[in-house]
Amino acid sequence: MTLAPESRSLLTDALRPPAGFRLDVSVATTYSVDLVALLLAPLSFAVHEHATDLETADPIAVLESVRRHADHLTVFCQAAAIHPTPYRSVLTFIEDAVVEVTAPREGALFHPKVWAIRFRSDDGATRHRCLVLSRNLTFDQSWDTILVLDQLAPGEWAKTIDGAPLGRFVGGLPGLAVRPLGEARLAEIADLATTIGASPFTVPAPYRSGEIVPLGMPGSEALSLDPSDRLLAISPFLGGRVVGDLQAGTRELILLSRPAALDGVRLASHTQPFVLDQATEEAPDASPDPGAVAREDVNAVAPASEANPPARGLHAKTFLAERRDEVEVITGSANATNPAFDGNVELVVRLRGPKSSAGIDTVWHGSKEAPGLRQVCVPYTPQVPDPLLTELEDRSWEIDRWHTFLSTSDPVLEVGESDGSTTSLTLRIGASTPPDGCDTRVRPLSLLESVEARHLAPEITWGPISVRNVTPFLAVTTTNGTGKAAVTRTSVIKADLRGDVGERRQSALRDVLRSATDVLRYLVFLLGDPASTVTTDLESMIGERWGGPGYVGAWDRVNIFEPLIRAAASGDRSVDRVASLLEELGADAANEDLLPPEFAELWAVVDETRRDGAGGEAGR
């Protein structure tokens, strides 16, 4: 782990499987989640080297990656903390992967940012990885940290971190869910908790020891720091009690935070307050957020808080405490606030190492070769807090509590009868009276706010709407107050979708696969698997020879049937994915020129080989 400003790590890189391995199962936790950003995770797990942002990613690659991995990925997020991003039909395939949760303690937040991952090779070997971050699963262009812990490889020797606390943390997550999870997903999470809990993780250099510390879960203790000679605290949000304890426990404190946070706490004479230099607050190569306009328009007047983190600027949370020749580093999701230290669900890692190579000077001042954080920070003189900002923050918190209450009030979306292309949606929710001074509107995330947002009521119906617009995600917008003291926030909650129409997944699939060329390219991705026993060069064979939309002749340029036969005969899982695709495309695919007329006959041969030959081991 490094805090050098020039050192950049991408979550997409950290999610990529080791050579020879593929994703087996993954659990992620985050305070807030951007559904479009979530689509990058399956892309990262896929074998192909796709783009790392969705603006340039191949939509067919996105679809294939999501369909392949969504059933083995579960993302736990704070209830009502889903971002109102532009809707895409491919989100249909990740609905079950998003699980809203609440913290066990009343008034606390679910705030950890962790990935617990198990990879598996073709011979059955497993490898675990743990990512501990300070950032949410969003497109926010903020300064954050990421710590990558890999399982100790067989035959290697190194000092290790016990995975047992991580296993208990993962195993306890389903118990926080607003709604029960499916049995298959529960079993997979429980199995991951067992195996990752038994795994030793390598202590990253130059540290000598470490431990994983969950906070806010049943049986967890409050976070604390022992007295130190010198302390560097990096936290975008501050609480008076915690800052007071940090100052009382050290002789010298360097405190890097945000101006509004520093304005709200009392600082001692031995505390040096710093903020990021405005010129460096936004990373120059940060990827654009496709949902930024929609989100910033509705949340622009809401002040930043733990429940409404800034989209850019400082968001890292790290503490470095020097004691004689040693240094202790605490990094993860916990801010220097009272709820984070004792109340919120958080996860941090404690690392201990030599002061000479991991101390404050190496991080803050750095060297000529690797300048430290100080070069992008400026001293700050605290100002008198603006009382209007305090009022706005209180109103913002009230909205967040109200939206969380809505999410936990068992909202139900009933799907009406379908004629194959259109249907209706009826929302029923018991909690339909906003707090005094608040106005709340709601709509399915897939529908335009300007047209379909309705005042919250016990029962609301939308329709007729396209089948492809059926979604359990509801965008909820609340305005609290009037004039300068008004705050508007939009968040997304997840309803219980009942009476789901069977055509919905097929409609989402057809929304991307619109031509024979699209289907052929999709089959190319399906036959590519890092653990596959079949090696195919279809993608390079095709190269630049694609025709335009509907170009059925593309099938004549590639012999895809021989690789299909080999895959079926060897029991490779890729042929099962092809079977699933054909089933979801439906019987009319050939009539719509999505498949050549002779494909059905050839697929019958492949399917028979799959069922009667070595394909008996398919799906291993």
Side-chain angles (χ1 to χ4, degrees), residues 237 258 260-261 296 298-311 386-400 480 484-489:
F237 303 107
R258 298 172 56 253
E296 289 179 2
V298 295
N299 291 339
V301 294
S305 67
E306 280 192 276
N308 184 42
D386 185 342
L388 177 59
L389 288 180
T390 302
E391 182 179 356
L392 292 174
E393 185 172 348
D394 290 343
R395 291 185 182 277
S396 181
W397 274 107
E398 187 175 12
I399 293 175
D400 289 326
N480 185 359
K484 292 183 178 180
V487 173
T488 298
R489 293 285 305 276

Side-chain angles (χ1 to χ4, degrees), residues 492-559:
V492 173
I493 64 175
K494 188 178 176 185
D496 182 7
L497 193 64
R498 298 180 183 175
D500 195 5
V501 291
E503 301 92 344
R504 195 162 67 96
R505 288 173 66 91
Q506 183 185 86
S507 177
L509 195 63
R510 295 288 191 92
D511 200 36
V512 179
L513 304 181
R514 301 183 180 184
S515 69
T517 297
D518 291 339
V519 174
L520 177 56
R521 295 183 64 228
Y522 194 88
L523 290 174
V524 168
F525 284 121
L526 289 179
L527 289 172
D529 190 327
S532 175
T533 57
V534 179
T535 57
T536 176
D537 200 25
L538 291 175
E539 200 168 9
S540 61
M541 287 167 59
I542 293 169
E544 301 296 326
R545 294 178 294 178
W546 297 115
Y551 182 61
V552 182
W555 291 87
D556 298 329
R557 299 186 180 271
V558 179
N559 179 10

Side-chain angles (χ1 to χ4, degrees), residues 116-448:
I117 309 169
R118 184 173 67 209
F119 301 108
R120 188 178 297 275
S121 67
D122 196 37
D123 61 5
T126 60
R127 192 80 57 84
H128 294 85
R129 180 177 295 163
C130 172
L131 309 180
V132 180
L133 307 95
S134 66
R135 75 172 298 131
N136 295 301
L137 188 50
T138 66
F139 286 110
D140 293 346
Q141 300 171 15
S142 49
W143 286 70
D144 281 281
T145 59
I146 177 171
L147 174 65
V148 180
L149 299 177
D150 278 312
Q151 180 183 351
L152 185 69
E156 291 185 351
W157 182 93
K159 295 180 179 179
T160 59
I161 296 174
D162 185 8
L166 178 62
R168 291 192 294 270
F169 174 78
V170 171
L173 291 173
L176 308 182
V178 171
R179 282 169 289 278
L181 282 69
E183 291 186 6
R185 198 172 290 272
L186 278 173
E188 197 167 59
I189 293 171
D191 186 57
L192 173 64
T194 299
T195 59
I196 205 167
S199 300
F201 292 90
T202 302
V203 176
Y207 303 100
R208 297 168 178 158
S209 64
E211 60 180 317
I212 298 170
V213 185
L215 305 169
M217 298 289 280
S220 298
E221 296 183 358
L223 180 63
S224 63
L225 277 77
D226 292 335
S228 60
D229 302 325
R230 193 176 176 216
L231 177 65
L232 169 61
I234 304 170
S235 176
F237 303 107
L238 304 173
R241 178 178 60 80
V242 170
V243 170
D245 290 346
L246 295 179
Q247 292 177 138
T250 189
R251 292 197 292 266
E252 178 185 349
L253 171 61
I254 301 173
L255 183 57
L256 174 59
S257 187
R258 298 172 56 253
L262 290 167
D263 292 344
V265 296
R266 186 186 299 274
L267 300 181
S269 58
H270 63 286
T271 297
Q272 305 171 51
F274 286 86
V275 297
L276 282 181
D277 189 333
Q278 278 191 324
T280 63
E281 277 201 345
E282 184 172 334
D285 58 349
S287 298
D289 176 358
V293 175
R295 187 167 65 254
E296 289 179 2
D297 281 352
V298 295
N299 291 339
V301 294
S305 67
E306 280 192 276
N308 184 42
R312 56 184 57 85
L314 182 70
H315 197 240
K317 299 109 175 148
T318 300
F319 306 87
L320 290 87
E322 292 182 350
R323 305 179 186 99
R324 297 186 179 179
D325 295 331
E326 296 290 312
V327 64
E328 178 184 34
V329 175
I330 298 177
T331 188
S333 65
N335 286 289
T337 62
N338 308 343
F341 269 52
D342 189 15
N344 288 351
V345 177
E346 313 270 4
L347 190 139
V348 300
V349 173
R350 290 182 183 266
L351 299 169
R352 299 173 183 87
K355 173 182 171 181
S356 58
S357 57
I360 291 174
D361 285 342
T362 63
V363 171
W364 188 243
H365 296 293
S367 62
K368 289 183 178 180
E369 295 76 20
L373 278 175
R374 178 64 181 86
Q375 67 164 330
V376 296
C377 299
V378 294
Y380 180 74
T381 301
Q383 308 296 311
V384 177
D386 185 342
L388 177 59
L389 288 180
T390 302
E391 182 179 356
L392 292 174
E393 185 172 348
D394 290 343
R395 291 185 182 277
S396 181
W397 274 107
E398 187 175 12
I399 293 175
D400 289 326
R401 289 191 292 267
W402 163 235
H403 286 184
T404 300
F405 181 71
L406 287 177
S407 176
T408 57
S409 296
D410 299 322
V412 173
L413 269 176
E414 189 76 31
V415 183
E417 292 187 6
S418 169
D419 61 7
S421 60
T422 63
T423 185
S424 63
L425 280 176
T426 299
L427 171 65
R428 296 183 179 91
I429 185 168
S432 57
T433 304
D436 290 343
C438 292
D439 177 72
T440 299
R441 294 173 179 264
V442 63
R443 63 179 169 89
L445 183 62
S446 55
L447 302 182
L448 290 176

